Amino acid sequence: MSEIDDSDSEARYDRLIERAATILADNHTGLFTKPSAGQYPHQWNWDSAFIAVGLGHIDRRRAFDELRTLLRAQWANGMVPHILYPHGASNYFPTPEFWQTRGAPGGPPIETSGFTQPPLVASAVRRLYERADDEEAAAFAREVYPSLLAWHRWLHGARDPDGTGLIAIIHPWESGTDNSTRFAAPLERLGEVAAPPYSRQDQHFVKPGERPEAGDYDRFMYLIGRYRAQRWDDETVYREAPFLVQDVLFNSLVYRDERDLRVLAERLGEPVAEIDGWLAAAASAFDRRLWHESAGLYYDWDVRAGRAIEESTCAALMPLYAGVADADKAGRLVRHQLLDPGRYAPGEGSRYFLPSVSKSSPYFEPRRYWRGPIWLNINWLLISGLREYGYLEEAAAIRRDTIELVERSGFVEYYDPRDGSPCGAAGFSWSAALLIDLLMEKN
């Protein structure tokens, strides 16, 4: 079951798994698993993929239903939205009404947000399929495969209409790393904005110092206001979006999801030529546009400014998860970034892997949302990537830190890298689900 060396570890890990399973049960709504009580009462796209990975170990049918519920909200154009409101509005903001997606071209069958999040569902489905490899798992994979393929077709058609090989995001929230420091420059370039009237609710459950700042939030709402005025029309939104970024993290997750989509296609007897074309174009573009030889880093590309965003965050390491970096680039990322105590490694102001922003950044804030804290999903992604490249000791060190963080501070949304103290929402579902996976996996 667990990776264990002795009976004490086994008992310790079993207790953690029980606690994690309780959180996932408590956050289950009957249709889906909300990220946390209070702060996040609806369904989030990449959260559900992470949650399904953990649920697959303890309740496979619930894992299937988690993803089914998500995909039932797929728009007619193929887009899978980043927030779903299956039970309607709550005290969470933005409300369904704020998005104004009703009546949008190809609009949603239920109330949703107007844009997407990083695609991880094909990767989750592959894990669920290969973990069981039985008729029920195969039937589920075949059931959802057309939706997954349609989502990726939408990504390439709507967000890379020029065929660069890279997907552009239209809002920082699409990256999943909402207020990351790498978006500071593109957001600041918007200048003073006239946001539609709104009232944020996120600071009722989490300390203001751990949430995005007011100026960032104004710009987030301004962008939503522009896109909803365009009725969420793909062509218009892409052409006129003032924020358009080819994000390393988003594209890394697209690439890995398409690798896994290709495996599913082969297992199901589906054609793979289209997917192969996407993968080949992306691999070339990662090298040509996102890799910066002098820095030894992958940087986001600001499409509107026509230049790289030279800010080092956890996103720069995600090509390791994607498997898109060659051996030399991977080695440089590990040696000169991951293992540098002045950047990401423990020491020089931090105790644990992996700060979400390099400690060398002038923007680094160890407790503010995506501006420095540790996130378990990023650790989990990086562990997977390091193992694939053969960096087993480094993967084991991050795994140990991840377990210690949970034992120290519980299943919270994010953690202060200086001392591991808890930040954000408590009882956080993907922290619980991914810890289950780390403890029950076979590698």
Side-chain angles (χ1 to χ4, degrees):
M1 183 166 129
S2 311
E3 282 188 356
I4 51 176
D5 296 320
D6 52 55
S7 58
D8 289 342
S9 294
E10 182 175 11
R12 197 172 100 239
Y13 291 175
D14 285 346
R15 286 193 295 271
L16 283 174
I17 291 168
E18 289 175 7
R19 287 170 54 197
T22 298
I23 287 171
L24 294 176
D26 290 346
N27 287 342
H28 189 52
T29 68
L31 288 175
F32 63 91
T33 309
K34 57 190 174 185
S36 71
Q39 181 79 333
Y40 303 107
H42 304 292
Q43 185 174 20
W44 268 257
N45 186 325
W46 74 332
D47 291 69
S48 282
F50 290 128
I51 289 164
V53 168
L55 282 174
H57 291 285
I58 59 175
D59 191 337
R60 188 175 62 166
R61 291 189 178 177
R62 239 184 81 195
F64 293 166
D65 288 343
E66 184 79 27
L67 300 180
R68 283 190 179 106
T69 302
L70 174 66
L71 294 173
R72 283 173 188 151
Q74 186 169 35
W75 289 31
N77 59 13
M79 192 265 283
V80 179
H82 99 290
I83 305 176
L84 287 63
Y85 302 87
H87 298 302
S90 68
N91 61 354
Y92 175 81
F93 180 84
T95 61
E97 291 75 17
F98 189 84
W99 292 100
Q100 297 181 11
T101 57
R102 286 182 179 272
I110 65 169
E111 292 181 307
T112 75
S113 64
F115 45 64
T116 195
Q117 255 189 334
L120 288 146
V121 178
S123 298
V125 172
R126 179 185 174 184
R127 282 174 173 265
L128 293 169
Y129 187 4
E130 293 184 344
R131 191 177 292 153
D133 196 17
D134 58 19
E135 289 185 8
E136 184 179 24
F140 175 71
R142 183 167 295 282
E143 171 192 338
V144 299
Y145 180 81
S147 295
L148 302 180
L149 183 63
W151 185 9
H152 282 270
R153 282 177 174 158
W154 174 83
L155 286 168
H156 289 277
R159 296 304 181 76
D160 184 23
D162 302 321
T164 67
L166 296 171
I167 309 303
I169 61 172
I170 61 170
H171 193 289
W173 287 1
E174 283 200 308
S175 74
T177 60
D178 302 7
N179 67 324
S180 174
T181 61
R182 66 191 189 278
F183 303 134
L187 288 174
E188 287 168 4
R189 200 177 60 252
L190 299 177
E192 293 296 321
V193 299
Y198 73 94
S199 176
R200 19 183 334 183
Q201 303 295 318
D202 58 310
Q203 296 175 337
H204 291 315
F205 299 98
V206 175
K207 296 174 183 177
E210 297 175 8
R211 295 294 299 167
E213 293 182 330
D216 289 330
Y217 229 85
D218 283 346
R219 293 181 174 97
F220 297 157
M221 296 305 112
Y222 164 75
L223 291 171
I224 293 173
R226 282 191 61 133
Y227 304 144
R228 74 186 192 185
Q230 296 161 351
R231 304 303 301 135
W232 301 103
D233 177 72
D234 287 336
E235 184 177 349
T236 306
V237 166
Y238 186 90
R239 184 179 65 245
E240 300 183 10
F243 179 99
L244 200 63
V245 173
Q246 290 169 335
D247 172 41
V248 173
L249 185 148
F250 193 98
N251 279 278
S252 294
L253 299 187
V254 168
Y255 189 88
R256 178 60 178 266
D257 209 51
E258 288 175 355
R259 283 178 55 199
D260 292 330
L261 186 67
R262 189 188 191 283
V263 171
L264 290 173
E266 285 191 316
R267 295 288 295 272
L268 297 172
E270 298 289 339
V272 298
E274 183 178 21
I275 302 170
D276 285 342
W278 295 336
L279 290 170
S284 174
F286 263 87
D287 282 345
R288 183 181 68 254
R289 174 163 284 185
L290 303 183
W291 175 255
H292 287 258
E293 181 67 21
S294 59
L297 273 175
Y298 292 92
Y299 286 137
D300 286 20
W301 182 261
D302 186 337
V303 177
R304 289 293 177 245
R307 61 173 179 263
I309 302 170
E310 297 184 7
E311 175 66 15
S312 178
T313 74
C314 60
L317 301 174
M318 287 301 103
L320 296 172
Y321 170 74
V324 74
D326 62 32
D328 176 67
K329 292 182 180 69
R332 292 177 67 182
L333 288 173
V334 171
R335 291 191 303 272
H336 304 309
Q337 301 295 326
L338 177 65
L339 299 182
D340 182 348
R343 300 176 190 271
Y344 293 102
E348 298 187 25
S350 71
R351 182 176 171 183
Y352 298 98
F353 284 111
L354 178 85
S356 48
V357 171
S358 171
K359 291 177 284 182
S360 64
S361 170
Y363 295 111
F364 176 72
E365 295 183 76
R367 295 186 70 86
R368 189 181 296 280
Y369 211 43
W370 284 99
R371 295 207 158 204
I374 296 166
W375 292 74
L376 257 63
N377 67 327
I378 297 297
N379 278 13
W380 182 85
L381 293 167
L382 188 55
I383 290 167
S384 174
L386 288 168
R387 286 173 172 167
E388 185 166 339
Y389 281 93
Y391 291 100
L392 302 184
E393 291 184 8
E394 293 79 5
I398 298 174
R399 180 180 183 275
R400 285 193 299 270
D401 276 9
T402 303
I403 295 168
E404 185 175 330
L405 285 166
V406 172
E407 289 184 314
R408 175 187 177 89
S409 296
F411 295 98
V412 297
E413 189 177 5
Y414 41 103
Y415 303 80
D416 190 322
R418 297 171 298 183
D419 59 8
S421 56
C423 306
F428 200 68
S429 290
W430 85 30
S431 297
L434 296 179
L435 201 282
I436 289 173
D437 187 66
L438 287 177
L439 294 181
M440 297 185 72
E441 64 192 354
K442 299 303 181 185
N443 329 4

